[in-house]
Amino acid sequence: MATERFNLEKQELAFTPVAKISTIVNGLRSAFADDVMRDIGFRKQQLQALLQGVRENSDMLAQALKLDLNRSKQEAMFYEIEPVEFEIGQFLQNLDTWTKPDTNRLASDQIGFLASSMEVRKEPLGTVVIISPWNYPLRLTLLPLIGALAAGNTVVIKPSEVAPYSAMAMQHVLTTCLDTRVVQLVQGGVDETTELLKQKLDHFFYTGNGTVGKIVAKAAAEQLVGVTLELGGKSPAIVHNDVADLGPTAMRLVWAKLTNAGQSCTAVDYVLVHRSIKDKLIKLLVEVIHEAYSRTPQKSADYGRIINQRHWQRLMDALAATGGSVVPVADDEADKNDRYIPPTVVDDVTPTDSLMRDELFGPILPIIAYDTLDEALATINGRDQPLALYVFGSNKTIEYVMGHTRSGAAVANDTMFHMGAHNFPFGGVGASGVGNYMGRYSFETFSHSRSVMQRPLWFPPPGVDTLRLAPFDGPQNAWKAEVGPAMMYPKNYWLRRTFWGKLLTLVPLWRLLAATGPLLLGLLKGRAAVKATRP
């Protein structure tokens, strides 16, 4: 498992033969059918092995991110490797509790369930697929993998071929530290992914763009299985004129826009700022950029690169078509060969500008001025729901914005910080995604909540039990219409409306007392009905 035995720079990403993909998936399905993942102790062993593999290969994983995205080692550790270690620790600490069945005491409300045992068991889905993106290739592969393994599934992973070094590094770590019966990787592009989506799978987990998300959702629909889509969108930031301090506001906006050269699904895509403070905010944004990356960010060891030249050209074309005013920020210029685009602030942008058509996913920050808060909200609500929404302002402003918008997540007076919160659901809504994960929410995403009820044969007593069975007509069966609802769907909520009724609700088993009359009636009439049918 040692890193020095695997020279990443000398490797070339080898695609999985298409003909082999069905064999891979069938092998994982067989392992699941053999209950390999049923034992909680075995799941923990796999998580501990993954933790050890990530720690022992952290330098190689950071190197892969450097080669793919020019990610500095500190950011590679902070944004991708250390979150994985922390998530595994959370699961190892809590898995015994999360896997325990949830008990359900329906009898406290419905007398018909007396003496019944009811629980909700968390059971694995089966064999699941995780299709991960290139922008945070380690984090967005391994975090859902942790939840899938902890929930007891076997997993096939499809890393992004657009980040080849990260894909190779993960393959090396996962195949050397995990049991290959329960985790396999499929490497490749469109052809390999297309074949993978044809396989019999029990859940699809995809992170990426909406176009491919629809293809994945269609594949899941054809198999009638669940799907989790972690997509994106144009996540806005509102800066209102009652914000307490523009200094930290500017710093947090720059952080969310320029981390990973803007290639984050929760990056600030554009800023809506009150016209009265716009110029001051722009000035502060430029100052923060200079402090972080100097006037020549291309020379900064901490400034990322666009993933490839195709995306570089996409961004440059959108920038060339803008009707806004590019604010002087950097002294250097875009460099296609280096996949470098300098930090770019664009003032005087309108909602119909070329920079506002699609998610930017790059280090370009459009600035839109507004005069009223409702004007800003109209701009946001006129688009698909974003994955995240950020608002800087007073408590009154924050609550107004939260109450009049929709988004996957919302953060007040900060940006992207929610991404570091484990056991806090991360996911989109509408075009920005379906479902969520992180911490316990990952465990639940990859689990089926199975309702399990055990009933005694002696309750209800045989006479009363006949109320479920025809015939229902005739005076001799009228009691069924009275006893059945009293036992199953009592309307004793009226007891809480009166003083004496409220006193009764303080008595243990008060619902049983309230149903005593109908229950006795059922015993009397039901016994008579049973006797009448005996020879």
Side-chain angles (χ1 to χ4, degrees):
M1 194 183 295
T3 303
E4 58 268 20
R5 297 177 185 173
F6 187 76
N7 191 326
L8 188 62
E9 291 188 80
K10 292 184 179 180
Q11 306 300 316
E12 184 174 341
L13 183 63
F15 285 11
T16 303
V18 171
K20 188 180 177 183
I21 293 175
S22 61
T23 303
I24 291 173
V25 175
N26 289 336
L28 292 168
R29 293 187 64 81
S30 295
F32 180 80
D34 291 340
D35 287 336
V36 172
M37 292 294 287
R38 181 67 63 176
D39 180 56
I40 305 299
F42 180 76
R43 301 182 199 177
K44 290 181 179 179
Q45 290 175 4
Q46 293 303 295
L47 293 178
Q48 289 168 338
L50 178 58
L51 178 61
Q52 180 181 355
V54 169
R55 285 177 171 170
E56 291 185 359
N57 291 278
S58 61
D59 287 343
M60 181 191 66
L61 294 171
Q63 179 193 18
L65 293 168
K66 181 70 174 179
L67 293 169
D68 284 330
L69 292 152
N70 198 44
R71 186 86 52 81
S72 68
K73 184 173 183 179
Q74 182 171 341
E75 288 194 339
M77 295 297 297
F78 188 73
Y79 294 126
E80 305 228 32
I81 297 171
E82 288 168 347
V84 169
E85 295 181 6
F86 182 81
E87 183 85 339
I88 295 174
Q90 290 286 292
F91 271 87
L92 291 174
Q93 178 180 342
N94 295 295
L95 189 57
D96 288 335
T97 300
W98 292 346
T99 53
K100 287 181 179 178
D102 298 328
T103 56
N104 198 326
R105 302 183 182 280
L106 282 177
S108 63
D109 292 309
Q110 297 171 274
I111 305 306
F113 291 101
L114 277 173
S116 298
S117 170
M118 288 164 287
E119 61 185 20
V120 180
R121 298 179 182 177
K122 305 298 183 181
E123 300 195 345
L125 297 174
T127 298
V128 304
V129 60
I130 297 172
I131 304 174
S132 56
W134 51 261
N135 59 325
Y136 288 88
L138 307 183
R139 175 193 183 100
L140 299 180
T141 302
L142 300 183
L143 288 182
L145 173 63
I146 293 164
L149 290 175
N153 302 281
T154 55
V155 188
V156 56
I157 297 170
K158 169 58 183 69
S160 174
E161 77 284 5
V162 179
Y165 290 103
S166 297
M168 290 186 291
M170 281 191 291
Q171 180 163 347
H172 174 72
V173 172
L174 297 179
T175 56
T176 54
C177 75
L178 296 181
D179 192 321
T180 56
R181 293 177 299 168
V182 299
V183 176
Q184 287 280 340
L185 287 86
V186 169
Q187 303 281 17
V190 174
D191 291 343
E192 291 75 17
T193 305
T194 300
E195 180 65 22
L196 182 57
L197 293 179
K198 295 177 183 177
Q199 306 306 308
K200 176 63 177 174
L201 295 159
D202 299 296
H203 192 86
F204 292 75
F205 190 104
Y206 168 76
T207 303
N209 63 66
T211 301
V212 177
K214 292 178 182 179
I215 297 173
V216 174
K218 183 178 180 180
E222 289 177 348
Q223 298 192 35
L224 295 179
V225 298
V227 61
T228 303
L229 302 176
E230 299 296 340
L231 307 178
K234 295 183 75 66
S235 296
I238 295 177
V239 183
H240 201 46
N241 59 358
D242 58 2
V243 63
D245 192 340
L246 277 177
T249 298
M251 183 271 290
R252 293 174 183 189
L253 289 172
V254 169
W255 172 63
K257 169 48 71 171
L258 297 185
T259 294
N260 201 29
Q263 299 166 115
S264 304
C265 58
T266 54
V268 174
D269 193 274
Y270 62 100
V271 173
L272 292 155
V273 58
H274 194 275
R275 196 176 304 277
S276 65
I277 59 173
K278 184 195 70 168
D279 292 342
K280 184 177 181 181
L281 177 64
I282 291 175
K283 181 176 181 294
L284 290 170
L285 291 172
V286 174
E287 290 177 359
V288 172
I289 293 170
H290 290 165
E291 290 173 3
Y293 302 106
S294 79
R295 292 179 177 273
T296 53
Q298 189 173 15
K299 297 178 181 179
S300 170
D302 300 313
Y303 192 78
R305 295 297 187 270
I306 305 304
I307 186 65
N308 56 33
Q309 292 188 354
R310 180 174 66 84
H311 281 283
W312 183 94
Q313 192 61 58
R314 172 186 62 81
L315 287 163
M316 294 304 295
D317 289 345
L319 185 60
T322 183
S325 305
V326 177
V327 177
V329 176
D331 292 341
D332 51 25
E333 296 180 352
D335 183 343
K336 187 172 185 177
N337 290 331
D338 191 29
R339 296 176 284 125
Y340 167 74
I341 296 178
T344 306
V345 178
V346 185
D347 193 6
D348 302 321
V349 173
T350 65
T352 58
D353 192 84
S354 61
L355 297 176
M356 296 296 293
R357 290 173 189 161
D358 301 303
E359 183 179 9
L360 287 171
F361 230 58
I364 301 170
L365 184 62
I367 306 292
I368 301 176
Y370 67 85
D371 296 301
T372 67
L373 195 55
D374 286 333
E375 180 185 345
L377 298 185
T379 299
I380 294 172
N381 292 330
R383 315 181 67 90
D384 289 332
Q385 299 102 302
L387 185 57
L389 182 148
Y390 310 112
V391 53
F392 294 83
S394 66
N395 289 338
K396 180 180 179 181
T397 294
I398 291 166
E399 288 305 315
Y400 187 80
V401 171
M402 300 287 188
H404 292 82
T405 55
R406 292 183 295 166
S407 62
V411 181
N413 292 322
D414 211 329
T415 56
M416 292 208 312
F417 208 64
H418 62 299
M419 295 292 291
H422 295 242
N423 286 326
F424 194 58
F426 174 74
V429 59
S432 60
V434 177
N436 53 53
Y437 72 114
M438 291 297 283
R440 179 163 190 166
Y441 296 91
S442 292
F443 178 79
E444 293 177 352
T445 288
F446 289 106
S447 298
H448 167 61
S449 296
R450 187 182 190 187
S451 299
V452 177
M453 178 185 294
Q454 297 188 39
R455 296 274 291 152
L457 290 173
W458 57 264
F459 186 87
V464 179
D465 207 19
T466 60
L467 66 82
R468 73 172 81 193
L469 196 64
F472 300 105
D473 59 341
Q476 70 275 21
N477 294 305
W479 64 277
K480 295 181 179 181
E482 181 178 351
V483 176
M487 292 184 64
M488 297 301 297
Y489 310 113
K491 299 179 176 59
N492 47 30
Y493 49 81
W494 62 269
L495 288 171
R496 299 183 183 276
R497 297 180 181 177
T498 65
F499 173 75
W500 295 110
K502 290 178 181 178
L503 284 181
L504 179 61
T505 62
L506 300 177
V507 177
L509 299 177
W510 66 272
R511 290 184 176 86
L512 180 59
L513 292 175
T516 298
L519 192 57
L520 290 175
L521 176 63
L523 287 169
L524 179 63
K525 296 290 187 179
R527 184 180 297 124
V530 170
K531 288 181 178 179
T533 59
R534 288 175 179 169

